[in-house]
Amino acid sequence: MIVVMHLALDLKVLYFGTPVVLIGSRNPDGTSNLAPMSSAWWLGQSCMLGLGNSAQTTANLLRERQCVLNLAPSSMVDAVDRLALTTAAPVVPADKAAIGYRHEPDKFAAAGLTEQAAELVMAPRVAECPIQLECKVDAAHRFGGPEPYATAFQVSVVRAHVEENLLVPGTHYVDPLRWDPLIMKFCEFFGGGDNLHPSRLAEGWRMPHQIAATGT
Ligand SMILES: Cc1cc2nc3c(=O)[nH]c(=O)nc-3n(C[C@H](O)[C@H](O)[C@H](O)COP(=O)(O)O)c2cc1C
């Protein structure tokens, strides 16, 4: 194996590749919110979620202590990208407005997705998502520094819904060959290892890489 020289440097972005989750939560006026996010990892029946403090979803989770994690398959990339650069916050925070965010009161309509009631929590499921995890918030930690800019939410899964055709037949295991998650890598969308779709998030962040036109 050839060993290539390493450069020691301050990386500007550390988004190496994580699954995209559409977090369903309840806004203060009772309407549904749906936010794309990808700082999520699971251990046992718990999950850690990293959410910026200016997101409406962060306020919703602190207040309601519940949410649904709707896992996006790679085929849902169009709908996810339509939700990028939107917020349910009535006043768009200045740093978000500067990169093109707009207020969107009806995320389901904007994305073209279908709302489905959850069974144990007051937060929306996305009918088109093959995996939906109803969750309770167990703890919230201030995250980032020197001035915390985000909140790390520890949630536990209280009910999981999975499309039958994703399961290893006769078991309660998701078949890794059938589940093709939408992956966010350095602000771009990947599925099955391939770049899928132009990304508004990458555009908003003015990411320096050049992606040859692929997918739709
Ligand atoms: C693919 C993708 C991944 C994202 N990942 C995160 C994330 O991990 N954490 C976060 O706070 N925001 C993330 N965002 C940005 C949020 O969607 C944004 O903060 C939005 O304002 C949340 O909506 P809300 O304000 O209505 O809650 C991501 C956006 C996209 C499109």
Side-chain angles (χ1 to χ4, degrees), residues 32-72:
S32 294
N33 195 7
L34 197 57
M37 64 84 70
S38 56
S39 303
W41 53 266
W42 287 261
L43 196 60
Q45 296 297 312
S46 296
C47 176
M48 288 297 292
L49 304 166
L51 286 171
N53 287 338
S54 69
Q56 181 62 48
T57 301
T58 303
N60 293 352
L61 264 58
L62 287 170
R63 191 186 61 255
E64 306 273 325
R65 315 292 292 183
Q66 45 191 329
C67 64
V68 177
L69 306 181
N70 299 282
L71 273 70

Side-chain angles (χ1 to χ4, degrees), residues 111-133:
L113 294 172
T114 315
E115 185 171 346
Q116 197 178 16
E119 292 173 357
L120 300 179
V121 302
M122 288 288 291
R125 291 194 280 157
V126 176
E128 291 83 355
C129 284
I131 302 177
Q132 310 152 333
L133 306 174

Side-chain angles (χ1 to χ4, degrees), residues 45 54 76 81 94 100 145 178 190:
Q45 296 297 312
S54 69
M76 200 180 275
D81 194 54
R178 296 175 201 220
F190 286 75

Side-chain angles (χ1 to χ4, degrees), residues 20 33 35-39 50-52 55-57 80 84 86-89 96 101 107 184 189 201:
V20 174
N33 195 7
M37 64 84 70
S38 56
S39 303
L51 286 171
Q56 181 62 48
T57 301
V80 170
T86 67
T87 176
K96 283 188 167 168
Y101 271 80
K107 302 276 195 82
M184 195 277 275
F189 295 119
L201 187 72

